[in-house]
Amino acid sequence: MTDWTATLADMGQHARRAARELARSSAASRRAGLRAAADAIRADLDAILAANAGDMAGAQALPPAMRDRLRLDAARVAAIADAVVAVAALDDPVGAVIDRRTRPNGLELTRVRVPIGVIGIIYESRPNVTADAAALCVMAGNAAILRGGSEALASNAAIHAAFVRGIEQAGLPADAVQRIAASDRNAVGAMLAAAGAIDLIVPRGGKGLVARVQAEARVPVLAHLDGINHVYVDRAADPAMATALAVNAKMRRTGICGAAETLLIDTGFPDAAAVLAALADAGCALRGDRAAAAIDARVTPADDVDWDTEYLDAILSVRMVDGLDEALAHIARHGSGHTEAIVTNDEAAAERFLAEVDAAIVMHNASTQFADGGEFGMGAEIGIATGRLHARGPVALEGLTTYKWQVRGSGQRRP
Amino acid sequence: MTDWTATLADMGQHARRAARELARSSAASRRAGLRAAADAIRADLDAILAANAGDMAGAQALPPAMRDRLRLDAARVAAIADAVVAVAALDDPVGAVIDRRTRPNGLELTRVRVPIGVIGIIYESRPNVTADAAALCVMAGNAAILRGGSEALASNAAIHAAFVRGIEQAGLPADAVQRIAASDRNAVGAMLAAAGAIDLIVPRGGKGLVARVQAEARVPVLAHLDGINHVYVDRAADPAMATALAVNAKMRRTGICGAAETLLIDTGFPDAAAVLAALADAGCALRGDRAAAAIDARVTPADDVDWDTEYLDAILSVRMVDGLDEALAHIARHGSGHTEAIVTNDEAAAERFLAEVDAAIVMHNASTQFADGGEFGMGAEIGIATGRLHARGPVALEGLTTYKWQVRGSGQRRP
């Protein structure tokens, strides 16, 4: 039996040394390392596909959606390599000056972005996360410790081997990206307990994984558990826009965390019927309160659980509310702090919504499906965080850094 | 027996409501609230001193240093009120725009500072923390739940009562600052477990308290456990500056977390004898390696524990090192990530030190005793953090905020 506590402590030491080296490295050398990693992934196409075929053979009992997530082909492997190259092209966050001030005694204070250190990534079936997460961590100057899903062991091993060979050939430390090459669940427990060795854990996967990580972690966690996102259609909403945004927010892709799960419609909005009809016509099941059911017969009764449910499916809960205050109260009670949107042409109502709703992302006249690091111009994201500390909303390179204070003096003593 | 879990859940709900109200409040109303709180503290001088006399009577077994921390007089109460007024004069962090960008699709993204929510403060004997911490939390738009030391129960109750009366008279919610009015240690355990009710815990006190909080907390913690701060005197240091900074960094006040605990002297620095003599002459006990002992006979042998000890006293460990690399390696191994300083006129050495040392604060030619929110121009501090996430170094109003993303659109759907 592996002693995972000791293994993690050892991996943590190697990671810390690699992180120190990365923190001193130039952006150019990190970019070159990532491009070399992408080249190595492309060069290892056959080995990666063979490994993936093995994983697929062992995964015949999995549901089709999970098998699809696990499956690689030449195009998907090329996309993995391309994504690594894209990260190499992002702005370097390391060394950016956040703040500069000179004190009356002449001390010059500079607040400078630095890497966090060692990031632990715990993820499920998608093998592309192996390369995506590694690339983001390394570009931000961090070492990574990866723990992928058991069903993707061989695929992850092959991608990891290529990635590490690439960065090493480019002169970066091989320990910059380590991988836990076992499906033992105790390894996850040891990662979650590895305070001091791992500075931050990012879980990527389903609710079960995130809930376990949040419950057990002794290490800070950046994650979101739920995306119970609301679209509030105000009385002053443009009817066509309200319909288009409700349909897009729910139906564009129902399985992503930025999808809308509840529609709140102001009783003063005259075109609720058109919005509900468009959703139902688009294939969305509607679960609503009595007032909503009175508007469209396809609305089935919602129960209390619906207001707190992230369907991740073509299902939407619908509630009629008596204006902005009731919408705000509903969101305060049922929202998960992810993404909340108002549709209105009343600027004052919009500004109140943007100011008062407590969520990582608040939107006016836009689809909640824009809740995404790429759409925010971050180039890529390691995840979306709904906690209140460190980083909120889409987390990319900047969220994988911290800062330090540099103080430059000329012999100042404190009186 | 009090059910502290239920009590904290209830306090948390009241705090959350107050936090929502504070988050919507104007800076002017928060400033007015704090000034009214200060007035109420001044008005309650007699009641506060009487309560404190009771605490002092019950604290006769405490060591003199702790009794002094507990003791209030008219001047100290006036200083407490003045400190609250000073916080009311600080720049308002709430609503500050950190970042603004327009996407090619026309979406306008604004990243705006918002309060964190509910802050738990756990502190020891100094009653002034009751008002200091409450003022910082409220000014940053947060609700506070305070838990002071058992020896200061009556003093804290009197200060808290005045503070709350003041803010309430000024129109802020009374629940903005709640207090756990019991010395039961289980109350602390319930605070540390109150994830969801409390967003951030700030422990203020000795190492025992901080260690317990860090070990048990299920809520994010902002703190530092140790301040094992090094002064490295490089071969290119100005001798007079090196002596002055070493003496100031260690001896100005030995009991603060920014005090130096280890002196590293480059073997190539020609004036080590003068530095050590000045420290010994100033009353500092020196514990060093053989090379240091060979320079000054007053240096007694250091053992392995010394390099990891925060003396908080007129004691300094001294090690001769063979240049910058050995100093960096020593600090990487023994530093606690608080404050590290180099003394040198070699700019390249200084820049390497500032870049490579992994600590919240890194200094060149300045005393480590400047590690303080007031000295950094923050006006006040709720503490100094040595963790890597959210805030690092002195934490003041900005560190008590987070941000959210506001997205303003004109009907954009995601393709």
mmCIF file of all heavy atoms in Angstrom, chain A residues 308-331:
data_model
loop_
_atom_site.group_PDB
_atom_site.id
_atom_site.type_symbol
_atom_site.label_atom_id
_atom_site.label_comp_id
_atom_site.label_asym_id
_atom_site.label_seq_id
_atom_site.Cartn_x
_atom_site.Cartn_y
_atom_site.Cartn_z
ATOM 1 N N ASP A 308 -33.565 25.295 -6.157
ATOM 2 C CA ASP A 308 -32.172 25.083 -5.750
ATOM 3 C C ASP A 308 -31.498 24.018 -6.596
ATOM 4 O O ASP A 308 -30.502 23.427 -6.177
ATOM 5 C CB ASP A 308 -32.129 24.672 -4.268
ATOM 6 C CG ASP A 308 -32.693 25.763 -3.374
ATOM 7 O OD1 ASP A 308 -32.220 26.912 -3.496
ATOM 8 O OD2 ASP A 308 -33.599 25.478 -2.564
ATOM 9 N N THR A 309 -32.027 23.758 -7.775
ATOM 10 C CA THR A 309 -31.498 22.672 -8.599
ATOM 11 C C THR A 309 -30.745 23.205 -9.814
ATOM 12 O O THR A 309 -31.250 24.074 -10.534
ATOM 13 C CB THR A 309 -32.650 21.762 -9.072
ATOM 14 O OG1 THR A 309 -33.271 21.184 -7.925
ATOM 15 C CG2 THR A 309 -32.126 20.648 -9.978
ATOM 16 N N GLU A 310 -29.542 22.677 -10.007
ATOM 17 C CA GLU A 310 -28.782 22.948 -11.224
ATOM 18 C C GLU A 310 -29.068 21.780 -12.168
ATOM 19 O O GLU A 310 -28.490 20.701 -12.025
ATOM 20 C CB GLU A 310 -27.287 23.029 -10.901
ATOM 21 C CG GLU A 310 -26.446 23.443 -12.104
ATOM 22 C CD GLU A 310 -24.948 23.410 -11.815
ATOM 23 O OE1 GLU A 310 -24.517 22.622 -10.945
ATOM 24 O OE2 GLU A 310 -24.207 24.161 -12.474
ATOM 25 N N TYR A 311 -29.964 21.996 -13.127
ATOM 26 C CA TYR A 311 -30.386 20.881 -13.978
ATOM 27 C C TYR A 311 -29.273 20.428 -14.912
ATOM 28 O O TYR A 311 -29.147 19.255 -15.208
ATOM 29 C CB TYR A 311 -31.609 21.280 -14.811
ATOM 30 C CG TYR A 311 -32.804 21.745 -14.014
ATOM 31 C CD1 TYR A 311 -33.194 23.068 -14.022
ATOM 32 C CD2 TYR A 311 -33.531 20.841 -13.235
ATOM 33 C CE1 TYR A 311 -34.294 23.499 -13.304
ATOM 34 C CE2 TYR A 311 -34.637 21.270 -12.506
ATOM 35 C CZ TYR A 311 -35.010 22.607 -12.544
ATOM 36 O OH TYR A 311 -36.091 23.029 -11.826
ATOM 37 N N LEU A 312 -28.504 21.365 -15.459
ATOM 38 C CA LEU A 312 -27.514 21.040 -16.493
ATOM 39 C C LEU A 312 -28.179 20.234 -17.614
ATOM 40 O O LEU A 312 -27.603 19.303 -18.164
ATOM 41 C CB LEU A 312 -26.321 20.272 -15.893
ATOM 42 C CG LEU A 312 -25.488 21.059 -14.867
ATOM 43 C CD1 LEU A 312 -24.441 20.175 -14.226
ATOM 44 C CD2 LEU A 312 -24.832 22.291 -15.507
ATOM 45 N N ASP A 313 -29.388 20.617 -17.931
ATOM 46 C CA ASP A 313 -30.202 19.883 -18.898
ATOM 47 C C ASP A 313 -31.241 20.869 -19.470
ATOM 48 O O ASP A 313 -31.326 22.002 -19.026
ATOM 49 C CB ASP A 313 -30.898 18.720 -18.170
ATOM 50 C CG ASP A 313 -31.313 17.610 -19.139
ATOM 51 O OD1 ASP A 313 -31.265 17.818 -20.363
ATOM 52 O OD2 ASP A 313 -31.695 16.538 -18.639
ATOM 53 N N ALA A 314 -32.028 20.405 -20.421
ATOM 54 C CA ALA A 314 -33.019 21.282 -21.051
ATOM 55 C C ALA A 314 -34.255 21.402 -20.170
ATOM 56 O O ALA A 314 -35.377 21.061 -20.557
ATOM 57 C CB ALA A 314 -33.379 20.751 -22.436
ATOM 58 N N ILE A 315 -34.041 21.875 -18.972
ATOM 59 C CA ILE A 315 -35.105 22.073 -17.985
ATOM 60 C C ILE A 315 -34.869 23.442 -17.366
ATOM 61 O O ILE A 315 -33.723 23.817 -17.100
ATOM 62 C CB ILE A 315 -35.053 20.999 -16.864
ATOM 63 C CG1 ILE A 315 -35.016 19.589 -17.465
ATOM 64 C CG2 ILE A 315 -36.222 21.171 -15.892
ATOM 65 C CD1 ILE A 315 -34.717 18.505 -16.433
ATOM 66 N N LEU A 316 -35.938 24.181 -17.137
ATOM 67 C CA LEU A 316 -35.792 25.523 -16.564
ATOM 68 C C LEU A 316 -36.899 25.718 -15.540
ATOM 69 O O LEU A 316 -38.062 25.412 -15.814
ATOM 70 C CB LEU A 316 -35.925 26.569 -17.680
ATOM 71 C CG LEU A 316 -35.679 28.039 -17.348
ATOM 72 C CD1 LEU A 316 -34.220 28.281 -16.973
ATOM 73 C CD2 LEU A 316 -36.070 28.931 -18.533
ATOM 74 N N SER A 317 -36.564 26.223 -14.370
ATOM 75 C CA SER A 317 -37.613 26.602 -13.426
ATOM 76 C C SER A 317 -37.995 28.055 -13.708
ATOM 77 O O SER A 317 -37.146 28.871 -14.078
ATOM 78 C CB SER A 317 -37.159 26.402 -11.979
ATOM 79 O OG SER A 317 -35.955 27.082 -11.721
ATOM 80 N N VAL A 318 -39.289 28.344 -13.561
ATOM 81 C CA VAL A 318 -39.821 29.663 -13.945
ATOM 82 C C VAL A 318 -40.676 30.202 -12.805
ATOM 83 O O VAL A 318 -41.585 29.510 -12.323
ATOM 84 C CB VAL A 318 -40.706 29.562 -15.212
ATOM 85 C CG1 VAL A 318 -41.162 30.966 -15.640
ATOM 86 C CG2 VAL A 318 -39.970 28.875 -16.345
ATOM 87 N N ARG A 319 -40.376 31.409 -12.402
ATOM 88 C CA ARG A 319 -41.192 32.015 -11.350
ATOM 89 C C ARG A 319 -41.567 33.432 -11.744
ATOM 90 O O ARG A 319 -40.732 34.188 -12.265
ATOM 91 C CB ARG A 319 -40.404 32.030 -10.039
ATOM 92 C CG ARG A 319 -41.263 32.389 -8.852
ATOM 93 C CD ARG A 319 -40.512 32.379 -7.539
ATOM 94 N NE ARG A 319 -41.206 33.292 -6.650
ATOM 95 C CZ ARG A 319 -40.703 33.814 -5.562
ATOM 96 N NH1 ARG A 319 -39.472 33.511 -5.190
ATOM 97 N NH2 ARG A 319 -41.401 34.651 -4.829
ATOM 98 N N MET A 320 -42.811 33.785 -11.530
ATOM 99 C CA MET A 320 -43.256 35.160 -11.749
ATOM 100 C C MET A 320 -42.983 35.930 -10.461
ATOM 101 O O MET A 320 -43.321 35.462 -9.364
ATOM 102 C CB MET A 320 -44.753 35.199 -12.082
ATOM 103 C CG MET A 320 -45.169 34.351 -13.293
ATOM 104 S SD MET A 320 -44.350 34.785 -14.848
ATOM 105 C CE MET A 320 -45.044 36.425 -15.126
ATOM 106 N N VAL A 321 -42.360 37.091 -10.556
ATOM 107 C CA VAL A 321 -42.030 37.885 -9.366
ATOM 108 C C VAL A 321 -42.607 39.279 -9.516
ATOM 109 O O VAL A 321 -42.771 39.792 -10.622
ATOM 110 C CB VAL A 321 -40.501 37.971 -9.139
ATOM 111 C CG1 VAL A 321 -39.935 36.613 -8.791
ATOM 112 C CG2 VAL A 321 -39.787 38.567 -10.350
ATOM 113 N N ASP A 322 -42.866 39.881 -8.372
ATOM 114 C CA ASP A 322 -43.477 41.206 -8.386
ATOM 115 C C ASP A 322 -42.373 42.266 -8.372
ATOM 116 O O ASP A 322 -42.149 42.941 -7.370
ATOM 117 C CB ASP A 322 -44.405 41.336 -7.173
ATOM 118 C CG ASP A 322 -45.175 42.651 -7.219
ATOM 119 O OD1 ASP A 322 -45.235 43.262 -8.309
ATOM 120 O OD2 ASP A 322 -45.680 43.071 -6.164
ATOM 121 N N GLY A 323 -41.648 42.363 -9.470
ATOM 122 C CA GLY A 323 -40.662 43.437 -9.607
ATOM 123 C C GLY A 323 -39.269 43.075 -9.122
ATOM 124 O O GLY A 323 -38.994 41.967 -8.657
ATOM 125 N N LEU A 324 -38.397 44.070 -9.237
ATOM 126 C CA LEU A 324 -36.970 43.881 -8.979
ATOM 127 C C LEU A 324 -36.685 43.410 -7.560
ATOM 128 O O LEU A 324 -35.853 42.522 -7.341
ATOM 129 C CB LEU A 324 -36.246 45.207 -9.270
ATOM 130 C CG LEU A 324 -34.739 45.243 -9.040
ATOM 131 C CD1 LEU A 324 -34.018 44.204 -9.886
ATOM 132 C CD2 LEU A 324 -34.181 46.636 -9.350
ATOM 133 N N ASP A 325 -37.356 43.986 -6.569
ATOM 134 C CA ASP A 325 -37.039 43.613 -5.187
ATOM 135 C C ASP A 325 -37.296 42.140 -4.928
ATOM 136 O O ASP A 325 -36.499 41.474 -4.255
ATOM 137 C CB ASP A 325 -37.836 44.481 -4.206
ATOM 138 C CG ASP A 325 -37.246 45.873 -4.098
ATOM 139 O OD1 ASP A 325 -36.038 45.958 -3.787
ATOM 140 O OD2 ASP A 325 -37.968 46.855 -4.330
ATOM 141 N N GLU A 326 -38.410 41.625 -5.476
ATOM 142 C CA GLU A 326 -38.693 40.206 -5.260
ATOM 143 C C GLU A 326 -37.681 39.341 -6.017
ATOM 144 O O GLU A 326 -37.281 38.275 -5.534
ATOM 145 C CB GLU A 326 -40.128 39.892 -5.703
ATOM 146 C CG GLU A 326 -40.702 38.693 -4.985
ATOM 147 C CD GLU A 326 -42.186 38.489 -5.323
ATOM 148 O OE1 GLU A 326 -42.977 39.433 -5.129
ATOM 149 O OE2 GLU A 326 -42.529 37.387 -5.771
ATOM 150 N N ALA A 327 -37.263 39.804 -7.181
ATOM 151 C CA ALA A 327 -36.226 39.067 -7.920
ATOM 152 C C ALA A 327 -34.915 39.042 -7.132
ATOM 153 O O ALA A 327 -34.264 37.994 -7.000
ATOM 154 C CB ALA A 327 -36.007 39.709 -9.294
ATOM 155 N N LEU A 328 -34.538 40.186 -6.578
ATOM 156 C CA LEU A 328 -33.293 40.253 -5.796
ATOM 157 C C LEU A 328 -33.369 39.325 -4.590
ATOM 158 O O LEU A 328 -32.407 38.629 -4.254
ATOM 159 C CB LEU A 328 -33.032 41.696 -5.341
ATOM 160 C CG LEU A 328 -32.696 42.706 -6.447
ATOM 161 C CD1 LEU A 328 -32.631 44.124 -5.865
ATOM 162 C CD2 LEU A 328 -31.373 42.365 -7.119
ATOM 163 N N ALA A 329 -34.537 39.306 -3.943
ATOM 164 C CA ALA A 329 -34.691 38.447 -2.759
ATOM 165 C C ALA A 329 -34.604 36.971 -3.151
ATOM 166 O O ALA A 329 -33.978 36.162 -2.450
ATOM 167 C CB ALA A 329 -36.027 38.745 -2.076
ATOM 168 N N HIS A 330 -35.227 36.611 -4.285
ATOM 169 C CA HIS A 330 -35.160 35.219 -4.741
ATOM 170 C C HIS A 330 -33.711 34.822 -5.038
ATOM 171 O O HIS A 330 -33.247 33.744 -4.640
ATOM 172 C CB HIS A 330 -36.032 35.013 -5.986
ATOM 173 C CG HIS A 330 -36.023 33.602 -6.481
ATOM 174 N ND1 HIS A 330 -37.023 32.689 -6.206
ATOM 175 C CD2 HIS A 330 -35.096 32.909 -7.204
ATOM 176 C CE1 HIS A 330 -36.716 31.517 -6.736
ATOM 177 N NE2 HIS A 330 -35.559 31.630 -7.362
ATOM 178 N N ILE A 331 -32.997 35.696 -5.721
ATOM 179 C CA ILE A 331 -31.605 35.381 -6.083
ATOM 180 C C ILE A 331 -30.730 35.305 -4.831
ATOM 181 O O ILE A 331 -29.873 34.428 -4.715
ATOM 182 C CB ILE A 331 -31.075 36.423 -7.094
ATOM 183 C CG1 ILE A 331 -31.816 36.267 -8.431
ATOM 184 C CG2 ILE A 331 -29.563 36.263 -7.291
ATOM 185 C CD1 ILE A 331 -31.550 37.390 -9.420
#
